[in-house]
Amino acid sequence: MKNKIEKIRDEFLKQLAQVTDNETLRELELKYLSRKGEFSEIMHGLKDVSIEMRKELGELANTVKTEMQTKFNEISRSLENYGKKSEFIDVTLPGEKFTNGHIHPLTLVQNEIEDLFTSLGFMIGDGPELESDYYNFTALNVPPLHPARDMQDTFYIDSKNKDGQYDLVMRTQTSPVQIRLMQKYGAPLKAIIPGRAFRSEATDSRHEHTFYQLEGIMIGKDINFANLKNMLEIVGKKLFGQNTELRMRPKFFPFVEPGNNGEYTCSLCQGKGCRVCKYTGWLEIVGAGLVHPDVLRAGGIDPDIYSGFAFGFGLTRLAMLKYNINDARLFNSGDIKFLEQF
Ligand code: PHE
């Protein structure tokens, strides 16, 4: 028995001396020192020997076990330190560069306006970019062959419906979603509709075939022009500062009556006159008006009971003014140098 104890110790120490990694170290611990290890077996075996022998062997076993455990701890500690030393950090190396994504300037402006309107109880609506001729024009009081269709250069889609008609367009404005929301939610209704619109334009620094608008509509009992004016004033002050004033001038849009162009004090020259506002001091920013009775009817709403206002911002134009961007084509360019500035 005595021999056996010593043999276990010698073997253990021999193997321990060769250990270079933590895994083998754990294996040794399991094999020799754990509760199910070889040493425990010896201790159990002690109960079968005579009392004197038990005393002597017990003492020996304890000493040996302590010796083994001490050695084991030593090696275990040195292995840990060894691992640490190899993690040498060269502080003179250039750091790792983390590149962050950026929020697109159009999204920034859109978020700002969405925050304002949702705080006023408006919902955010959405509709298809590939739109039917009916929603984009007819339901908005622009019947087929009406000259008002010429106000917008339209991308017509080269596919006929079952009646042999071309009836799909890339929406030229976000206004068709007015009708869709009226049909879906009825009156009263408070919604804004941000989204992409498309026009077959010759592109230059102020025109793009793909651009963003933000439409707004409010329908209820007794909604009038003063409500519209108030709303547009709130938006102007939020976007361009408290000193911003609103000027409304008549303009024809088939789906509103009366219709107007909303202009704000030029934010670049504070109304003094500059190149951007063409020395007028005003910036043309928003089309608006009271929703035409025919449009309410197309949306399934009775114009004898309800009235409403609608407006449409060019989001692209707003972003250009807010961030002093001089070319509309930059928005869709995917140019990293441009995008990283926001
Ligand atoms: N849809 C119009 C445009 O694109 C803007 C507008 C919206 C005007 C709502 C009046 C009311 O020019």
Side-chain angles (χ1 to χ4, degrees), residues 152 173 175 178 199 213 215 253 255-256 287-289 310-312:
Q152 299 172 351
Q173 49 193 353
S175 306
Q178 286 185 22
R199 289 187 199 177
Q213 290 191 332
E215 192 93 4
F253 295 101
F255 29 90
V256 285
F311 56 84

Side-chain angles (χ1 to χ4, degrees), residues 140 151-152 172-176 178 197 199 211 213-216 251 253 255-256 259-260 286-290 309-313:
L140 289 166
M151 285 170 74
Q152 299 172 351
T172 56
Q173 49 193 353
T174 40
S175 306
Q178 286 185 22
R199 289 187 199 177
F211 56 98
Q213 290 191 332
L214 189 137
E215 192 93 4
K251 166 121 198 236
F253 295 101
F255 29 90
V256 285
N260 74 280
V286 56
L290 294 185
F309 64 71
F311 56 84
F313 284 97

Side-chain angles (χ1 to χ4, degrees), residues 20-295:
T20 52
D21 62 285
N22 276 317
E23 210 174 307
T24 338
L25 190 69
R26 294 294 149 233
E27 275 167 21
L28 275 187
E29 187 180 25
L30 261 183
K31 182 160 179 224
Y32 289 96
L33 302 174
S34 74
R35 268 214 252 151
K36 290 197 177 135
E38 300 210 0
F39 221 90
S40 288
E41 254 172 59
I42 298 272
M43 295 297 220
H44 280 301
L46 284 181
K47 67 179 185 309
D48 301 328
V49 298
S50 67
I51 302 198
E52 300 91 74
M53 277 291 272
R54 196 184 301 169
K55 193 163 175 257
E56 195 194 328
L57 286 175
E59 261 170 36
L60 176 70
N62 271 330
T63 337
V64 169
K65 174 118 199 256
T66 318
E67 187 189 346
M68 283 165 69
Q69 189 67 53
T70 317
K71 259 287 184 237
F72 176 86
N73 291 348
E74 239 171 63
I75 299 282
S76 163
R77 225 173 295 130
S78 75
L79 263 188
E80 269 171 35
N81 289 338
Y82 175 79
K84 283 207 184 103
K85 263 184 219 137
S86 70
E87 269 176 35
F88 169 68
I89 298 171
D90 183 352
V91 291
T92 64
L93 281 175
E96 226 178 281
K97 206 172 170 185
F98 292 102
T99 43
N100 262 346
H102 294 251
I103 299 182
H104 196 282
L106 285 168
T107 313
L108 289 172
V109 180
Q110 182 178 328
N111 286 348
E112 198 177 329
I113 304 183
E114 284 184 3
D115 282 350
L116 170 67
F117 277 98
T118 47
S119 77
L120 295 171
F122 281 62
M123 66 175 191
I124 298 171
D126 200 6
E129 295 177 344
L130 177 60
E131 187 53 283
S132 73
D133 183 291
Y134 174 78
Y135 278 104
N136 196 75
F137 291 123
T138 313
L140 289 166
N141 206 21
V142 191
L145 303 178
H146 193 285
R149 290 203 175 194
D150 285 348
M151 285 170 74
Q152 299 172 351
D153 303 302
T154 308
F155 286 116
Y156 285 90
I157 300 300
D158 189 11
S159 82
K160 290 184 183 162
N161 65 13
K162 54 183 181 326
D163 302 325
Q165 305 283 329
Y166 293 103
D167 68 347
L168 287 177
V169 302
M170 295 306 289
R171 70 175 180 199
T172 56
Q173 49 193 353
T174 40
S175 306
V177 190
Q178 286 185 22
I179 307 283
R180 290 183 176 277
L181 295 185
M182 284 186 230
Q183 289 177 342
K184 187 162 181 192
Y185 298 105
L189 180 68
K190 282 158 83 178
I192 56 166
I193 305 134
R196 279 204 297 189
F198 310 84
R199 289 187 199 177
S200 174
E201 306 247 22
T203 60
D204 60 31
S205 64
R206 295 195 44 194
H207 299 94
E208 247 294 33
H209 48 71
T210 301
F211 56 98
Y212 284 74
Q213 290 191 332
L214 189 137
E215 192 93 4
I217 183 158
M218 179 164 180
I219 293 171
K221 288 183 178 153
D222 303 322
I223 299 290
N224 59 37
F225 207 85
N227 299 135
L228 169 63
K229 183 166 186 244
N230 177 247
M231 185 60 75
L232 293 183
E233 268 171 1
I234 292 174
V235 179
K237 287 188 198 308
K238 165 89 176 161
L239 286 174
F240 299 115
Q242 283 305 315
N243 295 328
T244 306
E245 286 190 46
L246 171 72
R247 172 167 95 165
M248 297 174 110
R249 300 209 290 175
K251 166 121 198 236
F252 171 69
F253 295 101
F255 29 90
V256 285
E257 180 59 37
N260 74 280
N261 244 339
E263 301 173 8
Y264 291 122
T265 318
C266 177
S267 56
L268 298 166
C269 63
Q270 263 66 50
K272 287 187 202 73
C274 67
R275 205 177 49 84
V276 176
C277 62
K278 300 197 195 100
Y279 302 97
T280 62
W282 297 95
L283 290 169
E284 226 180 277
I285 302 271
V286 56
L290 294 185
V291 182
H292 195 288
D294 284 346
V295 174

